[in-house]
Amino acid sequence: CGFHLAGYYEVPEELRQVNLVIPADRPSGVRTHLTSLLEINGIEITDTANYRLEVLDENIRRRSLSTSIRADTVEYELIGTAHFSVSNRAGELLITNREVRAERVFNNNENTTARDALQSQIERALEEQLAQQIVRQYLSLK
Amino acid sequence: LPEDSSQPIHIGADSASMNDRTGVTTYRGDVEIVQGTMKIRGDQVELFRDANGEVNRIVSVGRPAEFEQQPKRDDPLTHAYGQRMEYLVNQKQVTITKEARVEQGKDVFTGERIVYKMDQAIVDAFSSESGDQRVQMVIQPKQGGEE
Amino acid sequence: QDDQRLWNCNTSSSGEWDCEVNETLMQEAGATAAPEARSSASTTPSENTATASSSQAEKPSEPQKVTGAAPPAAPRPQASAPAPASRSTASRTETAAPAARANESSEPSAESTSRQVTTQQVAAGDRYDQFACTVDNGQWVCTQNPVARSSVAPAAGAKAVAQNYAYLDWYRYTPGEEGFGGACAGEYREPALNLGEAKTLEEQQTIFLEALRSSTVLGGTTQLQGGINMRQGQRLLTSDEAIYDAESQTASLDGKVTYREPGLLMVGESARADLNAGHTSFHNAEYVMHQEHLRGSANSIERFVDARVVMNDGRITFCEPGNNDWAIAADDLEIHTEEGYGEARHATFEVADIPVLYLPYFYFPIDDTRRSGFLYPSVGYSDTDGLDIATPYYFNLAPNYDDTFTPRYVSERGLVLENEFRYMNTWSMNTLSTAYINDDDLYGDSRWALGIEHNGNPADNWFTRIDYRRISDDDYLDDLDTTNLEIAKEDDLDQIAMARYEGDGWTFTGKVHKYQTIDGGREPYEQVPQFALTGQEVIANTALFAYQAEYTYFDRDNDDTRLTEEERVIGSRFHVRPSISYSWDRPWASVKPRLTYWYSQYDLSDQPENWSKAPSLGIPIASLDSTLKFERGYGADLTQTLEPRIKLIHTASEDQSEIPNFDSERLDLNYYNLFNETGYSGNDKVAGTSQATVGLSSAFYSQAGLERARVGVAQAYYFEDRDEETGFRPGDVDGTESRSNLAVLASWNITPELRFAHDSELDDSDNLQMVQQNYRLSYQPDESRLIYLSYRDNSGSRFDSQRDKDENEIRQTDFAFRWPISDQWGMIGRWQEDLLRDENIETLLGVEYTSCCWKIRVTGRQWVDDTDNIEDIETDTGIFFEFVLRGLGSFGQSGGREFLEDITGKEEDARNAF
C-alpha cells in the first residue's frame, strides 16, 4: 500500500545549531521540553548559532466544555497555544509567528485537589506536545 | 524719498545714443541712473522726454533690470527686479513686468507684473493672464517693533 | 498648442496646474457618451477651471511641449475622469495627479528654493465641479471650488445620489479597497500636507502668501484676490479674498475659506486669523478632525494656539458626512485636542436631528488617553434580579495605578459597591477587587467579595503569583456576578500564593494553595505548603534523567461529619520520582526504555486506627515504548505516516488501601491515559499492572511539518489482574478484564479555519459499541465569524454511584455562532441542550446593528442557575441592551457575550472598533 519505512532524514548542517530565545519576564513551560528535545535531536543550543528560534508567547487556558443542568462543569478543556518564529542570521524570517496548538479534555472531579493535580499534569503534557510540534516544524526547514 | 524727483539725475553707461526725431536717449551696457536715493540699473535704458524736454518716462530692460529707492525717511530700502521696468516720473510709478520681484525690508513680493506707486508706497502685484505665474509674498515675522 | 486635444493643462514652476477646456471638441467627443446637459448650477468656468470631459472619450496623449515660461509640461494626467457636469451617476475612477516631474524653476527668484514637486494621489471621488489645484512650495494642494457645493443638504426623501463630501476630506471607498463593504462607506483622507518641516522658530513664523492679484501698502495692509494660499508653519489658509495687515499680523479671509493643519480641517465663509498669536476664528464653518473621525459645524469656531477648538452654537458628531444619526449640539462646545477630551455646555443630544436629551454639562473623551471621569453606565434586566444599573467612575490616579469604583443598583437586591484597584510597577501587575452590599433584600443580609491578583517577576528567573478570592457566602457569585463565566461554574475558589524559580533544566515551585468551597460540598485538601522540584538532564545526547521531588502538607477541616474516616486524614507527604530513560531514535523507529522509582512517605494525623502513622509506598515502574514509523506520499503535497506503537508497562503491585488519597484520582479512559504509567493523577496512588498498550496512529503532514490530520486508536492488554487495593487502571471495572476498551482519537484541520475533532471509547466486549463519543466542528474564518458545534455523550460509560451518574452523565450539544448578515447586521447565538434530561442549559440570541458611528446590541439569554439540590432546576432569563456610540464609548451590559471569547480564546473585537 505504498508505505515504506520513513527515509533517513539528515538535519541540514546549518540547522544543527540554534539560538533559543524565550521571553525571560514570564514563566515558560515549554522551555525545559524544548531544550531537551532539541538536544535529543542533535541540535546544539548556542547564542552564536546562525538560526534563531524564538518562542513569542505561550499560554494554556482552561474552559468548561460541558455543563450539568445545575451549571456545574462536567468536563474541562485545556487549550495550549504557542507562537514561534525562526529567523536566520540576516534576520529574515523563515517561520513567522506561527501558532502551534494542543488540546486535552479531562473530567471535573469532586476532589478539587486531585482535579488540580490532574490539570497541572496535563499542562506539563501539553507543554511537551507544543514543544514537539515546534521542534518538528523547525526540523522540516530545508 | 519724496524729494528725490527734485534731485539731479546722474547716468553712467558704456554707450549712449540720441534719436533726435523721437527725442529718446538710449543708453546701453551696464547702465546706472541715480536720482537722490533712487537708482535704476539695466542692460539698456531708454529715456523719454516730454514736449518741453523734461524726462517723463524711463524704460529699463535687463537680466534683470533693477530699481531701488527709499520711500520714506525711516522706511527700509525698496528693491525691485524684473526683466522690464517702466518708470513714469510724474506719476511716480514704476511698472515691473516679466518675473517681477520687489523686496521691502525682509518681505518679498513676486508676480508676473508689479506696479509700485512710490508716493503712496503701494505695491500692486498681478499674476499672468494664464495664471501660471501667481503673485507670491513672503512676510517675515516682526521681531517686536519695525526693523 | 495643438487644438485637437479636449483640454490642455500647463503647469508653471511656482504657479498652478491650469487647464482650459476646448468646448467645441468637448461636444463632438462627448457624442460617444451622450453628454447630459451641463446643469446650469455650475458657474461659468473661472480662470482656473479644470473641468475635463469624461475619460472614455479621450486617451492620454504624449507629453506636450508647451511654450511659455512653464518648464517641460507634465505628462497629462493618466485617467482624469470627472463625471460629465450634470449630477447623474458619480463616476468611480480616481484622478491621478500629474506624474512626478523634476521642476527646475526657470524663474531665478532667490526666495523659492528648488522645489521638487512630488506626485500625490488625491482620490477626488466624483469631481463634477471646479477644482483648483495649486502647487505651493513643494506641495500640491487641491481645494474644491466651493461654489459647486452650495447645495449641501441632500434632497429629502429619496436617497440622494452619493453626495460628494470631498470638501470635508471624506472619500467613498471604491470596490476593491480594504474598507469597502464595511460599516462605513468611506473614510477621511487628509491630503499629504508635508509643508516642509520648518525647523527654526523663525521659519515657523514666516508667512507665505499667494494669490492672483495683490495690492500692498508697504508696511501696512495687503489686499489679495483670487485663489489665495496663506501658509505659516504647519497651518494653511485658502480663500478667494483676503486682507493681511502686516502691522498686527492679522488676516481676514472671505469667500470659501479653508483652514488646514495636520489632523484638522475647517471650511467656512469667512475667517480671521491672528498669525502672531496663532489664533484663528471662523464664522459659519464646518470642521473635521481626521484621526478622531469627528466633524461638525458652528456659527463660530475659534482655534487657539494650545490646540483648543472652541465653538459656540456648535454641533459635533462622529458620524460620517451625510449621516446625522446622532450628534451633540451645544451653545458652548470645547474640544481639547491635546488632552483628548471635549466639553459641551447647554448641550442637547440629538438622534436623527431630533433633540432627545438635554445636558447642562457633558464631558466626553475624543481619544483613549486615560482620564478620570464617569465611564458609561451598564443596564440590564433579569427575572430574578430585576433592573441592574451600574455607573462606573474611573480614577486615573497615576501612570502606574488607577481605580474603577462602580456603584451598582440591583432593584431586587439593593446597592452593591464594587471597586477595582490596579497597581503596576516595574516587575509586577496587581489587582485588588472588592464588592460589598449592605443589605441584600433577597438574601437578607450583607454580602461581600474580595479578590487579589498578582503576577510578578521580582528577579531573574523568579516568578511570583497570587490568586486569592473570597466571598461572604456560597451563592454570592451566582447571584451577583452572573456574567463572569469562569467563576460562575467553580465549586471551590482558589486561594493561591506561589513563587517559582526556573533554573537551567529544572524548576522549583513553592506554594500555599487553599480553597473556599462554595457549592456546599466538602472542603478539598489544602496544600499548606507545597515545595516541588522538577527537572531533567540529557546525558550523552541520548539518555534523559528526569526527577520530581515534592514535599506537601495536606490539611482540611476534618470535623465535617460528611467526611468518611479515610477522608478525615491530614498530614505531610514527601514524594520523589527519579526516572532514567534512553532514547534510541531513528527516522523509521524509536525505542525508549524507562526506569522510574516512585516513592511517597507520609507523616499522618487523624488517620483511621488500623492505619500506620507513617506509611510509605515505593513502587518501581519499568516501561518500554517502541514505535515503528512508516510514511508515504499522500495526494499532491501531504505526507502520511503510519505508526504502530507498543508500550510495555510493568508496575509493582502494592497494597495502597491504607494510604491517604490526598490528590490522587483514577484517570479516565482515553487514548493518552492508556499509555500513562501510573493510572492516577497526583502522587498518592499507582496502579499495579503488567500490560502492553498497543496503539496505531496515522497522521498527515504538509511540507512545512504542519499536522493536517491525525487518527489514532489504542487498547491495553493486561497480563495480570488488578484490584482495588493495588489500584485500578483507566477503564477497569473489576480489574479482571484482560483487555481495555478501545480509545479512538481523531482530528482533521480541513482548512486552517475549519477544524474537526473526535474522540470515543469503543466497548471491547460488545463488538465495539460506542461507550463514549464526542464530536466537535469549529469554523472561524475571521474575527467576525464563528460556527462552533459540539456533541458530547458519555451516557454509555460506567459511573461509580447514582449521585455520580446524576451529576456527570451527559448527552449534550453546544451550538454557538456569530455571523454577519449584511454590512450592518450581525447575529450571535448559543444553544446548549442537555438531551438526556431534555433540559436547556443556555440559550442566547443577540442581534447587532453597526453603522459608521453607532452600534446597538440586544441580547436575550436564558441560563441555568447554580443550585445545590438536584431536584429543581432554576433558570434565569435576561434581556441586555448595549449602545456603543463611536468616539464616546459604550452603554449597557454585554449580557453573556463572553461565551465568544470563551470559545475562540480571543478578545471579541473591541466594542468601539468601527
Side-chain angles (χ1 to χ4, degrees), chain A residues 1 4 6 27-28 31 36 61-63 65 67 75 77 104 107 109-110 112-113 116 121 140, chain C residues 490 492 502 515 522 525 527 536 629 631-632 665 672 682 704 776 788 792 803 812 841 902-903:
Chain A
C1 53
H4 53 272
S28 164
R31 183 198 309 272
S36 321
R61 74 183 177 91
R62 183 183 81 176
R63 65 179 284 260
L65 190 55
T67 316
E75 291 168 310
E77 179 180 34
R104 285 285 175 81
N107 284 348
N109 190 302
E110 211 180 21
T112 307
T113 317
D116 287 352
Q121 224 168 289
S140 64
Chain C
E490 275 307 313
D492 303 286
E502 284 182 8
Y515 299 94
R522 293 163 306 180
Y525 278 109
Q527 293 122 43
Q536 49 190 40
K629 295 175 190 164
E631 63 180 33
R632 67 177 179 184
E665 264 312 309
Y672 298 105
R776 183 200 331 220
Y788 171 84
R792 301 197 70 82
R803 185 163 176 281
Q812 188 171 130
I841 295 169
D902 182 53
I903 290 175

Side-chain angles (χ1 to χ4, degrees), chain A residues 1-9 24-29 31-33 36 39-40 61-77 98 101 104-105 107-118 121 129 136-137 140, chain C residues 457 463 486 489-492 500 502 505 513 515 522 524-525 527 536 538 587-588 629-632 640 662-663 665 667-668 672 681-682 701 704-706 755 776 788 792 803 807-808 810 812 832 834 837 841 864 866-867 869 873 902-905:
Chain A
C1 53
F3 275 112
H4 53 272
L5 279 174
Y8 203 73
Y9 166 71
D25 59 351
R26 277 165 307 191
S28 164
R31 183 198 309 272
T32 22
H33 297 290
S36 321
E39 280 177 49
I40 283 182
R61 74 183 177 91
R62 183 183 81 176
R63 65 179 284 260
S64 41
L65 190 55
S66 51
T67 316
S68 74
I69 47 173
R70 275 172 321 292
D72 289 332
T73 301
V74 175
E75 291 168 310
Y76 282 109
E77 179 180 34
R98 184 180 295 171
R101 184 187 166 95
R104 285 285 175 81
V105 173
N107 284 348
N108 192 1
N109 190 302
E110 211 180 21
N111 178 346
T112 307
T113 317
R115 180 204 67 198
D116 287 352
L118 175 62
Q121 224 168 289
Q129 235 181 311
R136 182 187 314 120
Q137 289 179 35
S140 64
Chain C
N457 171 219
F463 304 98
E486 198 39 44
K489 295 190 174 114
E490 275 307 313
D491 312 337
D492 303 286
R500 171 187 166 112
E502 284 182 8
H513 191 164
Y515 299 94
R522 293 163 306 180
Y525 278 109
Q527 293 122 43
Q536 49 190 40
V538 176
W588 45 276
K629 295 175 190 164
F630 298 92
E631 63 180 33
R632 67 177 179 184
Q640 181 184 9
F662 289 135
D663 62 1
E665 264 312 309
L667 295 178
D668 303 301
Y672 298 105
S681 69
Y701 293 105
L706 292 170
R755 269 203 282 268
R776 183 200 331 220
Y788 171 84
R792 301 197 70 82
R803 185 163 176 281
E807 273 182 9
N808 295 323
I810 51 161
Q812 188 171 130
Q832 215 177 351
D834 181 330
R837 301 169 187 84
I841 295 169
V864 288
D866 188 350
T867 59
N869 54 53
I873 295 160
D902 182 53
I903 290 175
T904 61

Side-chain angles (χ1 to χ4, degrees), chain C residues 739 741-742 761-771 796:
Chain C
R739 289 201 308 260
N741 281 345
L742 270 79
E761 178 186 343
L762 311 181
D763 188 341
D764 173 66
S765 57
D766 182 1
N767 58 56
L768 302 184
Q769 281 296 330
M770 278 207 184
V771 169

Side-chain angles (χ1 to χ4, degrees), chain C residues 23-35:
Chain C
E23 289 297 339
T24 47
L25 270 175
M26 171 82 131
Q27 264 55 38
E28 295 142 22
T32 50

Side-chain angles (χ1 to χ4, degrees), chain B residues 42-95:
Chain B
D43 299 344
Q44 173 191 308
V45 176
E46 292 162 320
L47 263 65
F48 297 81
R49 296 178 192 280
D50 57 16
N52 45 35
E54 280 300 316
V55 173
N56 64 6
R57 192 157 81 95
I58 302 175
V59 174
S60 159
V61 174
R63 309 203 59 75
E66 286 173 46
F67 171 88
E68 183 188 304
Q69 196 212 22
Q70 187 166 10
K72 286 206 251 1
R73 182 69 48 221
D74 42 23
D75 272 358
L77 272 175
T78 305
H79 296 273
Y81 306 87
Q83 287 185 13
R84 183 178 182 286
M85 285 194 190
E86 185 171 350
Y87 173 36
L88 303 178
V89 179
N90 307 338
Q91 292 97 321
K92 290 190 182 322
Q93 179 176 304
V94 182
T95 304

Side-chain angles (χ1 to χ4, degrees), chain C residues 467-719:
Chain C
D467 181 0
Y468 180 89
R469 273 186 292 228
R470 188 150 184 73
I471 49 178
S472 58
D473 57 281
D474 287 1
D475 298 328
Y476 180 90
L477 291 173
D478 304 325
D479 297 344
L480 286 167
D481 193 353
T482 50
T483 51
N484 183 327
L485 295 180
E486 198 39 44
I487 300 185
K489 295 190 174 114
E490 275 307 313
D491 312 337
D492 303 286
L493 294 184
D494 284 332
Q495 298 174 342
I496 303 174
M498 173 205 286
R500 171 187 166 112
Y501 181 82
E502 284 182 8
D504 199 357
W506 57 275
T507 306
F508 166 77
T509 318
K511 79 169 181 180
V512 169
H513 191 164
K514 294 167 68 67
Y515 299 94
Q516 177 184 5
T517 305
I518 57 170
D519 66 348
R522 293 163 306 180
E523 268 194 18
Y525 278 109
E526 296 179 331
Q527 293 122 43
V528 283
Q530 176 177 73
F531 299 109
L533 177 68
T534 58
Q536 49 190 40
E537 294 298 329
V538 176
I539 304 161
N541 271 358
T542 52
L544 184 72
F545 170 68
Y547 51 89
Q548 257 181 30
E550 185 192 284
Y551 167 80
T552 315
Y553 186 84
F554 290 96
D555 190 10
R556 94 188 306 171
D557 160 19
N558 61 7
D559 39 30
D560 179 337
T561 53
R562 291 173 295 183
L563 292 176
T564 65
E565 213 193 355
E566 278 132 4
E567 287 167 338
R568 292 185 56 250
V569 168
I570 56 176
S572 67
R573 175 186 72 195
F574 173 71
H575 173 77
V576 67
R577 194 190 309 191
S579 83
I580 179 84
S581 63
Y582 173 77
S583 300
W584 183 83
D585 271 302
R586 291 296 176 277
W588 45 276
S590 85
V591 178
K592 188 171 177 187
R594 177 186 355 223
L595 281 176
T596 309
Y597 186 68
W598 190 98
Y599 178 76
S600 278
Q601 168 68 47
Y602 295 87
D603 178 3
L604 303 177
S605 46
D606 301 340
Q607 75 280 6
E609 294 82 20
N610 52 3
W611 283 24
S612 120
K613 180 169 173 32
S616 68
L617 184 63
I619 295 184
I621 307 172
S623 71
L624 180 64
D625 194 347
S626 39
T627 313
L628 272 177
K629 295 175 190 164
F630 298 92
E631 63 180 33
R632 67 177 179 184
Y634 182 87
D637 60 357
L638 291 182
T639 318
Q640 181 184 9
T641 65
L642 187 66
E643 292 172 43
R645 174 183 179 190
I646 179 163
K647 182 169 186 181
L648 304 173
I649 305 173
H650 178 74
T651 313
S653 296
E654 293 287 342
D655 179 347
Q656 299 155 38
S657 54
E658 292 182 359
I659 300 280
N661 188 352
F662 289 135
D663 62 1
S664 281
E665 264 312 309
R666 276 183 57 185
L667 295 178
D668 303 301
L669 187 132
N670 66 39
Y671 180 86
Y672 298 105
N673 290 345
L674 284 175
F675 294 96
N676 182 290
E677 293 183 9
T678 66
Y680 282 82
S681 69
N683 295 334
D684 294 311
K685 291 225 177 327
V686 175
T689 180
S690 183
Q691 69 176 62
T693 301
V694 175
L696 182 66
S697 80
S698 173
F700 298 80
Y701 293 105
S702 69
Q703 298 308 354
L706 292 170
E707 187 176 288
R708 186 61 53 77
R710 165 177 293 279
V711 61
V713 63
Q715 183 173 31
Y717 293 84
Y718 299 110
F719 306 136

